[in-house]
């Protein structure tokens, strides 16, 4: 091995980190507050042309059956934060939708309260409908 070959080698995993960075466009946070146990189903829309091929894979996997963010990350062999960013993009494109297993749960006082999934779906819907609302709140 020559000195040139040694200097051009990258540490194992470095290329994968760069690929993940470009996959998400350098973003590290999803636009929507997705949890690892958030369950997704296909939506009426389609991934846009500017989205990476992994987005097509995510939608195809969700067409087979509903999947959680954690399951998608495992199947794609990608870090969960990167998958959250991609799923968030797909939610904005209506290519995915949140699945509600139960809209309400019962708390310790036997009162019906909205489930975490219902509240998350409401947040996603509001952010899609009013995309500039959050940025105005932060500026104020």
């Amino acid at each position: 091995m020559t000195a040139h070959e040694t200097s051009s080698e990258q540490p194992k995993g470095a290329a994968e980190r760069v690929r993940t960075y470009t996959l998400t466009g350098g973003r590290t946070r999803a636009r929507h507050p997705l949890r690892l146990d958030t369950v997704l189903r296909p939506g009426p829309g389609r991934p846009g042309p500017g989205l990476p091929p992994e987005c097509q894979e995510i939608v195809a996997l969700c067409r087979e059956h509903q999947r959680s963010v954690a399951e998608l990350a495992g199947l794609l062999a990608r870090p969960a934060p990167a998958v959250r960013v991609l799923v968030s993009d797909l939610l904005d494109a209506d290519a995915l939708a949140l699945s509600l297993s139960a809209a309400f749960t019962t708390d310790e006082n036997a009162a019906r309260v909205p489930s975490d999934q219902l509240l998350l779906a409401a947040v996603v819907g509001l952010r899609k409908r009013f995309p500039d609302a959050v940025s105005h709140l932060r500026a104020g």
Side-chain angles (χ1 to χ4, degrees):
M1 200 181 289
T2 66
H4 176 69
E5 290 172 336
T6 305
S7 65
S8 66
E9 288 182 8
Q10 295 181 0
K12 188 173 183 162
E16 191 59 34
R17 283 192 300 273
V18 170
R19 170 72 177 125
T20 300
Y21 179 82
T22 59
L23 181 71
T24 62
R27 295 171 294 153
T28 58
R29 292 186 177 244
R31 180 170 139 67
H32 304 293
L34 302 169
R35 296 176 9 171
L36 290 176
D37 62 348
T38 300
V39 179
L40 303 153
R41 61 177 173 79
R46 298 174 52 187
L51 295 177
E54 284 82 355
C55 288
Q56 293 285 355
E57 258 185 278
I58 290 170
V59 173
L61 288 168
C62 289
R63 281 194 183 116
E64 290 175 5
H65 61 82
Q66 298 179 8
R67 299 189 187 264
S68 69
V69 172
E71 186 178 4
L72 290 169
L75 291 169
L76 295 173
R78 296 284 179 198
V83 173
R84 281 185 181 130
V85 170
L86 297 177
V87 165
S88 187
D89 291 344
L90 291 167
L91 286 169
D92 286 339
D94 286 328
L96 289 180
L98 296 174
S99 179
L100 293 177
S101 54
F104 292 92
T105 60
T106 305
D107 69 5
E108 61 274 356
N109 299 324
R112 284 183 46 144
V113 295
S115 70
D116 290 344
Q117 282 292 107
L118 178 63
L119 294 173
L120 179 60
V123 168
V124 169
L126 288 170
R127 284 190 175 167
K128 284 171 57 177
R129 177 77 171 101
F130 304 105
D132 296 332
V134 174
S135 63
H136 292 305
L137 292 175
R138 289 183 185 159

